[in-house]
Amino acid sequence: MGPTASGKSRIALEIAGQFPVEIVSVDSAQVYRHMNIGTAKPGRDILARTPHHLIDLIDPVEQYSAAQFRRDVLNVMQDITGRGKIPLLAGGTMLYFQALLDGLSVLPEADNRLRATIESKAVISGWPALHKKLAALDIESAARIKPTDSQRIQRALEVCMLTGRPMSEILKAPRNAELPFRLVKLALLPADRGQLHQRIAQRFENMLQEGLIDEVSLLRQQFDLNPELPSMRCVGYRQTWLYLEKKINLEALRDKGIVATRQLAKRQLTWLRSIMRRYEVTALDCLADDVHHQVRVFLHAANIGDGAAQ
């Protein structure tokens, strides 16, 4: 686990070269097909050499939930261990890690017809007005959701309407988090936030050089997209959308993309530290020159490869 630009993918590939593992992506952006550059998805040569799972699952017009991830990742882990290999989960979507570790409350599946109705009302009244409606139905959820957060307002209203109960009440119910695996948890954390920011800036510049703008432009031609879809709300894609709409220039795209990625890393670190307070997690400095050696020592000490698949 770790924030963006902490070197998770590189470390995972090195582990795959030394241990009998298959990599499982824990990344809410890499689930989208055709979104390769902005999600830092592994290239074809890497995928051909090292098996990866839970990438390229859906088109950018579709949605993917933490509940779907938990179901899919458990199935994939069972399949990998059934073949005598070890699942190596690597990524920065802390919501997905938390879903795996803590389990999930029993919430209803998405109802596309009801969602369309809610969106139609939002077009007429605006999301802040629907946020007020949510506050009347579920004051706790409304208190933690911003009046402009359309995705979460929509989901909270949907749950209220489908169940007749506040989503906050359902979330308090006991969860079934029992797992048939021994989990060995490793976090890559930066000792110097400034150095991480430098990495983030260079990484976003590389994405622009590799063709992020052309990638988003092609996606807009291929699919019926809008800026409120979860895929287009991903960091980098949201800012490139604004550029293609001629609302910002190239310099602003670069600046806003870097700032948004820094904010993402900050949220990831906050969430990760919350996980670390509740679970036994080994933390290593992702900026250390010998971090690769430290990872190898850690894995050997944890007896990875010696009965760990069971």
Side-chain angles (χ1 to χ4, degrees), residues 10-198:
R10 185 174 66 253
I11 293 289
L13 287 173
E14 290 192 6
I15 294 172
Q18 302 165 32
F19 297 89
V21 305
E22 293 185 15
I23 298 173
V24 182
S25 169
V26 187
D27 189 309
S28 61
Q30 290 189 358
V31 300
Y32 295 108
R33 289 186 283 266
H34 314 292
M35 292 173 56
N36 303 322
I37 297 173
T39 65
K41 198 176 294 178
R44 292 182 179 178
D45 55 334
I46 293 176
L47 294 175
R49 188 168 64 250
T50 306
H52 282 64
H53 302 269
L54 300 190
I55 63 173
D56 293 335
L57 301 180
I58 59 175
D59 285 337
V61 292
E62 300 175 276
Q63 300 192 34
Y64 190 77
S65 67
Q68 287 173 287
F69 168 80
R70 192 174 198 274
R71 181 183 63 243
D72 290 346
V73 76
L74 288 174
N75 287 336
V76 166
M77 292 169 76
Q78 291 281 14
D79 178 60
I80 293 172
T81 56
R83 288 185 278 105
K85 299 292 186 67
I86 304 168
L88 171 57
L89 279 61
T93 300
M94 300 306 156
L95 172 62
Y96 286 4
F97 278 119
Q98 183 169 305
L100 176 65
L101 294 168
D102 294 350
L104 289 168
S105 301
V106 183
L107 294 174
E109 292 288 334
D111 185 307
N112 291 331
R113 183 175 299 178
L114 180 54
R115 287 192 170 190
T117 300
I118 295 172
E119 288 176 358
S120 298
K121 292 180 179 178
V123 170
I124 298 172
S125 306
W127 287 107
L130 291 186
H131 184 268
K132 289 182 179 178
K133 180 177 181 180
L134 174 62
L137 297 171
D138 184 354
I139 191 168
E140 287 189 36
S141 292
R144 63 179 177 78
I145 298 174
K146 295 180 180 179
T148 55
D149 193 336
S150 58
Q151 188 177 355
R152 289 182 172 83
I153 293 171
Q154 181 190 60
R155 179 54 174 162
L157 282 173
E158 177 187 41
V159 171
C160 287
M161 294 176 182
L162 288 174
T163 66
R165 299 168 59 198
M167 187 170 73
S168 57
E169 177 183 306
I170 299 174
L171 292 175
K172 293 176 183 177
R175 307 177 183 189
N176 179 16
E178 185 175 347
L179 296 172
F181 304 100
R182 176 173 74 96
L183 301 182
V184 179
K185 296 173 282 295
L186 176 64
L188 298 176
L189 302 177
D192 183 345
R193 192 76 65 91
Q195 287 190 49
L196 182 69
H197 288 174
Q198 292 176 15

Side-chain angles (χ1 to χ4, degrees), residues 125-273:
S125 306
W127 287 107
L130 291 186
H131 184 268
K132 289 182 179 178
K133 180 177 181 180
L134 174 62
L137 297 171
D138 184 354
I139 191 168
E140 287 189 36
S141 292
R144 63 179 177 78
I145 298 174
K146 295 180 180 179
T148 55
D149 193 336
S150 58
Q151 188 177 355
R152 289 182 172 83
I153 293 171
Q154 181 190 60
R155 179 54 174 162
L157 282 173
E158 177 187 41
V159 171
C160 287
M161 294 176 182
L162 288 174
T163 66
R165 299 168 59 198
M167 187 170 73
S168 57
E169 177 183 306
I170 299 174
L171 292 175
K172 293 176 183 177
R175 307 177 183 189
N176 179 16
E178 185 175 347
L179 296 172
F181 304 100
R182 176 173 74 96
L183 301 182
V184 179
K185 296 173 282 295
L186 176 64
L188 298 176
L189 302 177
D192 183 345
R193 192 76 65 91
Q195 287 190 49
L196 182 69
H197 288 174
Q198 292 176 15
R199 283 190 180 185
I200 286 171
Q202 186 59 56
R203 175 175 163 141
F204 194 77
E205 181 62 36
N206 291 344
M207 288 178 176
L208 290 175
Q209 295 296 325
E210 291 166 10
L212 176 60
I213 294 173
D214 289 340
E215 178 173 88
V216 180
S217 179
L218 184 59
L219 287 170
R220 283 158 54 105
Q221 295 174 36
Q222 291 179 312
F223 299 96
D224 183 18
L225 300 173
N226 68 73
E228 295 305 315
L229 284 169
S231 61
M232 292 299 103
R233 289 162 62 94
C234 291
V235 168
Y237 291 88
R238 178 195 293 269
Q239 293 73 31
T240 305
W241 185 285
L242 293 175
Y243 171 79
L244 291 171
E245 291 288 308
K246 302 186 185 306
K247 294 181 179 179
I248 59 175
N249 59 24
L250 182 59
E251 183 178 356
L253 163 59
R254 181 178 288 105
D255 292 343
K256 287 180 178 295
I258 292 171
V259 169
T261 310
R262 288 179 179 178
Q263 292 171 338
L264 170 63
K266 182 179 180 180
R267 293 193 300 272
Q268 290 171 316
L269 287 167
T270 299
W271 205 326
L272 178 51
R273 290 192 177 99

